Amino acid sequence: MRAAARLAAIPEYFFAGIRERVAQLRAEGVDVIGLDVGDPDQPTPAAIVDRAAAALRDPANHRYPTYAGLDELRVAMAHWYRRRFDVELDPDTQVLPLLGSKEGIAHLPFAVVDPGDVVLVPDPGYAVYASGAVMAGGEPHALRLRPERGFLPDLATVPDAVVRRARLLWLNYPNNPTAAVAPSEFLDAAVAFCAERGILCAHDAPYSEITFEGYRAPSLLQSPGALEVGVEFHSLSKTYNMTGWRVGMAVGSAAAIRLLAQVKSNVDSGIFTVVQRAVLAALQEPPEAVASRNALIAGRQTRLCAAFAAMGVDIPRPRATFYLWAPVPGDGDSRAFAAGLLHRAAVSVTPGVAFGPGGEGFVRVSLTAPEERIDEACRRIRALAG
Ligand SMILES: Cc1ncc(COP(=O)(O)O)c(C=O)c1O
C-alpha cells in the first residue's frame, strides 16, 4: 500500500510505540510500572457512571446525536465556565462539545489553515498541535519552551516573516509535558499579539483543574479581547477520570467555533447521547470532589520527588498537572535515561524528546498509577541510588 506523502511528516503517535514496548516486556514476564501515559488510574466517579447507566436504558439516547450536542449540555458547559472563570459564554455560538479534546485540536487547523500557512506550536509540546497542522497542509513552527523562561514561549523572537504567515498559535497551560503554569499577564500578552496580527490564539487547557496548594489556573477567555481571537479547549478526561469516554469542549470566538463545527459536521456525527448525559452529572460535581482527587496526586508528587532526589534528580514541585518534568542528570540524554530506568528498575517514563527536540534533557513522569505501584516505583528508584 502506498502511503500518502503527508504521513511521512507525522510518524505514528509516540505513545503507541511505548505501549508496544511495555507490552512486550510484560509478555516476557517483566513487572513494568507504567509512569508514561497520562491516563488516570482512578475510576470515573460513581455519580457520573450511574447517570450514564440510567441513560443507556433509554432508547431515545440510542439514535444519532445532534452535531452541536444537547442544548442542556452546552448550557451546562457555559454555566461551568461562569462558575469557574467568571466568563459569560453564549451556549449556542461559543460552546462546542468534542469527541475528546484531541479530536478538536486535530481538526481546528482544517478550519483555519491553508496549505503553506504557519502554525506556531510549543516545543516541547503535545504532538497533535503539529500533526494536525501538517495534516491540514500547514507548516508547524516550533516555539521553544525554556526552563529559564518558566517554559513560556518568547513570542517576540519569532521572525517577522514567520509571524506574517502564521494563522494559528497553540498554547497549553497548565502545560504538558513541563507541568509549568502561565500567569494571566502572559495570556493577556498572547491575546494582544494575536489580535494585532490576525492570528487565532488557541489555548489547550485540559489540566486547568488539576492544581495544588491553592493555585487556580486562569482561562485564556479572561484576557481582554480573547472572545474575538481566542478559543480554549477543555477535556473531561483528566478532571473527571474520563479518558475512555472521549469528551471535551471548545469554547470562545463564535467565528472559530462555527468553522470548527463545520469541519466536524463533515467528519463525525456527535457524541453518544449517553455520554453527554453523563457529562451533565460530571459538571455538577462539587469542587471538593476534584480537590480530593488532586490531594491524591499531590501525595504521589511528594513520594516520587523524594525518591528521585535520592538518586540525585531534583524535580521542582509543580503547581499543576499530574506530571513531573524531571531534569536528566549527566549528559541529559533523555532516551538513554528512560531506557536505563526501564531496564534497571522496570519503571517506564517518557523521554522528553518524545515531545520535540526542546524536551531533550528531561523525562516526563506521569503520576497516574495506583498507590501501591507508585510506592513500588519509589522503592525501585531508591534502590538504584544504592
Ligand atoms: C495537552 C493535552 N491536550 C489534549 C489532550 C487530549 O485529551 P482528550 O482527547 O482525552 O480530551 C491531552 C491528553 O493527554 C493533553 O495532554
Side-chain angles (χ1 to χ4, degrees):
M1 176 78 69
R2 185 180 65 85
R6 74 177 68 81
L7 276 190
I10 46 165
E12 194 184 5
Y13 198 56
F14 184 84
F15 287 99
I18 288 197
R19 271 191 201 149
E20 210 171 286
R21 210 159 40 252
V22 167
Q24 193 182 330
L25 282 170
R26 285 185 178 141
E28 290 164 14
V30 182
D31 176 28
V32 179
I33 301 174
L35 303 183
D36 38 44
V37 182
D39 188 358
D41 56 294
Q42 297 293 303
T44 304
I48 302 173
V49 175
D50 290 348
R51 187 76 70 92
L56 193 54
R57 304 233 167 262
D58 181 353
N61 296 329
H62 297 173
R63 309 190 66 194
Y64 277 123
T66 54
Y67 295 115
L70 295 168
D71 290 350
E72 56 193 297
L73 178 65
R74 280 181 282 103
V75 167
M77 287 172 162
H79 278 168
W80 183 84
Y81 239 78
R82 184 188 307 135
R83 212 172 52 238
R84 173 62 180 85
F85 297 115
D86 201 20
V87 169
E88 285 296 330
L89 295 172
D90 176 352
D92 291 333
T93 60
Q94 295 177 317
V95 178
L96 181 64
L98 302 170
L99 291 159
S101 60
K102 183 178 186 178
E103 175 264 304
I105 292 164
H107 283 139
L108 184 65
F110 287 92
V112 297
V113 171
D114 280 320
D117 288 343
V118 164
V119 178
L120 302 169
V121 301
D123 171 21
Y126 182 58
V128 184
Y129 311 135
S131 58
V134 168
M135 285 190 288
E139 283 176 31
H141 176 89
L143 302 176
R144 220 38 188 260
L145 307 187
R146 299 182 194 280
E148 59 274 21
R149 283 188 52 85
F151 299 106
L152 301 172
D154 188 354
L155 297 174
T157 60
V158 184
D160 282 347
V162 173
V163 172
R164 271 196 295 279
R165 291 167 52 217
R167 295 296 315 280
L168 178 60
L169 163 67
W170 279 108
L171 298 172
N172 161 225
Y173 294 96
N175 184 257
N176 174 18
T178 68
V181 298
S184 45
E185 295 75 26
F186 170 80
L187 299 178
D188 293 349
V191 167
F193 176 91
C194 289
E196 276 167 30
R197 295 161 179 84
I199 298 171
L200 176 62
C201 188
H203 186 225
D204 181 25
Y207 301 100
S208 65
E209 307 314 298
I210 307 195
T211 58
F212 313 105
E213 293 180 353
Y215 175 71
R216 300 272 283 166
S219 161
L220 181 85
L221 302 186
Q222 292 167 321
S223 295
L227 277 170
E228 278 76 58
V229 299
V231 62
E232 189 157 76
F233 290 76
H234 282 272
S235 173
L236 278 283
S237 290
K238 323 280 177 169
T239 310
Y240 302 102
N241 298 337
M242 291 180 77
T243 46
W245 299 67
R246 312 308 307 131
V247 59
M249 60 172 150
V251 290
S253 150
I257 293 294
R258 180 170 38 79
L259 296 174
L260 179 56
Q262 188 178 337
V263 172
K264 280 172 56 60
S265 70
N266 284 284
V267 175
D268 68 66
S269 299
I271 304 168
F272 186 23
T273 309
V274 167
V275 172
Q276 297 191 52
R277 298 211 178 276
V279 172
L280 293 174
L283 295 177
Q284 282 163 358
E285 254 203 343
E288 301 79 57
V290 180
S292 79
R293 291 195 286 276
N294 288 346
L296 195 70
I297 302 292
R300 296 175 184 180
Q301 276 185 346
T302 307
R303 276 135 60 213
L304 265 165
C305 282
F308 274 106
M311 69 179 290
V313 177
D314 285 316
I315 308 174
R317 269 299 277 277
R319 293 158 82 192
T321 80
F322 44 54
Y323 303 116
L324 300 176
W325 189 235
V328 171
D331 65 0
D333 183 335
S334 64
R335 278 184 201 278
F337 185 78
L341 263 189
L342 185 59
H343 290 113
R344 293 168 61 215
V347 172
S348 176
V349 298
T350 309
V353 281
F355 303 96
E360 186 52 304
F362 292 84
V363 295
R364 192 192 72 176
V365 182
S366 176
L367 305 171
T368 53
E371 296 305 295
E372 65 282 5
R373 300 298 279 166
I374 296 278
D375 288 335
E376 175 59 18
C378 290
R379 263 192 298 279
R380 293 182 192 177
I381 290 166
R382 284 178 190 279
L384 286 184

